[in-house]
Amino acid sequence: MRPILMKGHERPLTFLKYNRDGDLLFSCAKDHTPTVWFADNGERLGTYRGHNGAVWTCDVSRDSMRLITGSADQTVKLWNVQKGTQLYTFNFGSPARSVEFSIGDKLAVITTDPFMELTSAIHVKRIAGDPTEQTEESVLVIKGPQGRINRAVWGPLNRTIISAGEDAVIRIWDSETGKLLKESDKESGHKKTITSLTKAADGSHFLSGSLDKSAKLWDTRTLTLIKTYSTERPVNAVAMSPLLDHVVLGGGQDASAVTTTDHRAGKFEAKFYDKILQEEIGGVKGHFGPINALAFNPDGKSFSSGGEDGYVRLHHFDPDYFNIKI
């Protein structure tokens, strides 16, 4: 399994996202310029220029026509995927940390960071079919959780919003009223900042990764803890195979401590775990710094990782990967 090395960013990667067809890969980094690549050969297709700060997150619509990006420049932008042009800019008073289109792409959930006297918030925006009719107003704004909200995603049928962040609590909100429906249990939940959250392909369960050196699998409707995967390092990114019962965790020690260790000792590998048995089944080495982003191709036959080192590594699995037995 020789990785394809994709060098297009000059700063650490922050987020990776495949489109639904799995033929395009979108990458966000701290260098202000989201980039789109061909997912089969890693060729760079184009960039989206216009942000003025680190880009923390992105999402792409179901038909691969629209891209939405959230940045530290306190804006969220909508882009035409093919042309690379900006369609609309939402302005906030604080950095935008996470964005996700709803099922049907008619809504987007956006989280903003605490900044000056503003607290963190979850915003729901209506996304117009025609960009000329797009408006700035929020359908719903949820405030409440203390500290930064690192991820907010839509629950089944867009009825709920699931959020997680610095206070280590996963919360499920009603997406119509903004009412808090459920919180993860202090005992079974994470002990430190939750860095990442990813949903299963069918939306029935989701995986959270945390700086407490673990990832946890939860039931989406009941918020029951199903599995815990423990590792020796903080987890910055998590991904789930849509094809096999595998979860992947990526991380490494803090970027500030990186220079003191050799890249093999620095534990900068993507670790594969058996989803059911919670046992480690393998690892993929290669990055020279912590892994900040992971994504699985929707066909489950390849995955990509983005690191603090500015590289995106695209891995197409060998045939023997599909026959791993424990």
Side-chain angles (χ1 to χ4, degrees):
M1 186 170 78
R2 292 206 43 209
I4 298 172
L5 217 62
M6 292 143 67
K7 183 72 178 145
H9 290 290
E10 18 198 89
R11 297 286 317 280
L13 269 285
T14 53
F15 200 74
L16 290 169
K17 180 83 188 178
Y18 283 92
N19 66 340
R20 194 176 63 105
D21 301 330
D23 61 338
L24 299 176
L25 174 62
F26 295 84
S27 61
C28 302
K30 293 185 182 175
D31 64 4
H32 311 184
T33 313
T35 300
V36 59
W37 316 76
F38 281 119
D40 60 341
N41 59 5
E43 197 179 315
R44 185 161 70 165
L45 183 55
T47 55
Y48 299 90
R49 296 186 180 274
H51 274 302
N52 210 342
V55 181
W56 294 121
T57 177
C58 71
D59 194 15
V60 57
S61 63
R62 192 177 162 95
D63 59 6
S64 302
M65 299 293 278
R66 301 277 179 85
L67 178 70
I68 185 168
T69 54
S71 167
D73 66 8
Q74 308 190 354
T75 67
V76 166
K77 289 182 188 288
L78 283 168
W79 309 80
N80 176 315
V81 168
Q82 293 168 315
K83 299 192 180 118
T85 50
Q86 291 182 46
L87 299 174
Y88 192 80
T89 300
F90 297 101
N91 292 292
F92 297 94
S94 57
R97 179 68 47 177
S98 135
V99 294
E100 190 182 67
F101 282 123
S102 62
I103 304 161
D105 300 326
K106 297 241 184 321
L107 299 166
V109 62
I110 300 166
T111 69
T112 53
D113 287 354
F115 189 70
M116 313 291 261
E117 60 279 354
L118 291 168
T119 57
S120 57
I122 300 169
H123 308 257
V124 176
K125 301 279 190 190
R126 193 164 270 117
I127 305 295
D130 179 351
T132 55
E133 293 167 10
Q134 185 63 51
T135 58
E136 176 91 10
E137 63 185 334
S138 298
V139 187
L140 177 70
V141 179
I142 303 171
K143 293 185 174 161
Q146 293 307 300
R148 203 163 78 198
I149 305 168
N150 284 330
R151 294 295 297 146
V153 298
W154 293 95
L157 301 176
N158 302 337
R159 283 187 186 149
T160 54
I161 292 167
I162 303 161
S163 72
E166 274 187 341
D167 60 5
V169 181
I170 295 173
R171 295 183 174 84
I172 297 186
W173 310 83
D174 184 306
S175 61
E176 291 280 322
T177 61
K179 201 166 115 245
L180 179 62
L181 302 176
K182 293 191 176 67
E183 288 192 343
S184 61
D185 188 45
K186 281 272 189 288
E187 288 302 303
S188 61
H190 285 293
K191 304 290 181 276
K192 288 187 180 169
T193 298
I194 296 170
T195 53
S196 49
L197 203 150
T198 182
K199 294 181 289 191
D202 64 359
S204 64
H205 53 286
F206 65 91
L207 183 65
S208 60
S210 162
L211 298 182
D212 65 10
K213 306 183 180 171
S214 75
K216 291 177 186 283
L217 195 69
W218 307 83
D219 182 292
T220 306
R221 285 192 166 80
T222 61
L223 203 52
T224 316
L225 179 67
I226 308 171
K227 302 279 181 188
T228 299
Y229 313 93
S230 301
T231 169
E232 324 71 81
R233 68 209 68 145
V235 178
N236 299 339
V238 292
M240 262 188 292
S241 169
L243 193 60
L244 302 174
D245 287 324
H246 292 170
V247 302
V248 191
L249 315 186
Q253 82 256 63
D254 209 34
S256 55
V258 164
T259 48
T260 57
T261 50
D262 150 84
H263 73 94
R264 287 182 300 279
K267 313 253 195 311
F268 307 131
E269 55 182 337
K271 292 211 151 172
F272 282 69
Y273 286 76
D274 185 288
K275 195 192 233 172
I276 316 295
L277 304 174
Q278 309 177 41
E279 290 181 19
E280 194 182 322
I281 48 181
V284 178
K285 291 188 172 66
H287 282 285
F288 288 94
I291 293 175
N292 295 340
L294 284 170
F296 250 97
N297 192 308
D299 67 5
K301 293 178 181 167
S302 61
F303 87 107
S304 53
S305 56
E308 192 74 23
D309 56 8
Y311 284 98
V312 179
R313 297 175 76 94
L314 174 64
H315 306 264
H316 287 281
F317 294 118
D318 294 334
D320 52 3
Y321 162 79
F322 302 97
N323 306 321
I324 295 176
K325 297 278 185 289
I326 291 200

